[in-house]
Amino acid sequence: MTRMEAIRKDRAEQRRRLLCAARERLLASARELGVDILFFGSSVQGVTDAESDLDVMLLGNPDDCKRRAAIQKFERIAAKTGVPIDIILQSDAPELYREIQDAHRLI
């Protein structure tokens, strides 16, 4: 392994640890707020690098107050952890939700 490959591997591992910590904080916040979330994308597939983010889908159709509170809380977690978080509402992306469901059935 070259020095550059070792550096990339180390950075990817550091990012993976950050993603795991952010994911745990998001799950705890979702439970606290009474909303359901689903993680998808590269971090769930185990394909992370030093630039990876977290893709999160807010499930169902929470009322405006819960939805705003969840998004604000998730954005604060992103800022505190340094991990970019893409927040998608299931109600805004039903096709994507179906694709994610189909992919999970294959696993």
Side-chain angles (χ1 to χ4, degrees):
M1 177 181 302
T2 68
R3 180 169 163 75
M4 190 52 119
E5 288 171 334
I7 290 170
R8 281 192 197 111
K9 184 178 178 182
D10 184 55
R11 288 183 180 164
E13 179 58 27
Q14 288 175 13
R15 180 57 116 189
R16 188 191 66 71
R17 285 193 299 270
L18 281 174
L19 290 168
C20 287
R23 190 169 36 243
E24 291 303 315
R25 291 180 73 175
L26 288 166
L27 283 169
S29 294
R31 280 191 294 272
E32 177 185 303
L33 294 166
V35 297
D36 294 317
I37 60 175
L38 173 72
F39 296 102
F40 65 99
S42 62
S43 67
V44 172
Q45 297 166 354
V47 184
T48 58
D49 61 27
E51 304 295 318
S52 293
D53 65 354
L54 277 177
D55 298 304
V56 180
M57 182 173 284
L58 187 56
L59 299 176
N61 195 14
D63 63 48
D64 288 343
C65 185
K66 271 190 179 183
R67 185 179 70 244
R68 275 194 302 273
I71 291 170
Q72 288 172 354
K73 181 76 170 187
F74 296 169
E75 288 172 345
R76 283 195 300 273
I77 291 170
K80 287 180 181 178
T81 61
V83 174
I85 299 173
D86 292 329
I87 305 165
I88 310 283
L89 302 177
Q90 178 188 357
S91 58
D92 289 346
E95 303 84 20
L96 176 60
Y97 179 66
R98 280 192 292 279
E99 288 176 28
I100 295 166
Q101 281 184 311
D102 290 343
H104 283 246
R105 280 191 206 109
L106 297 175
I107 295 174

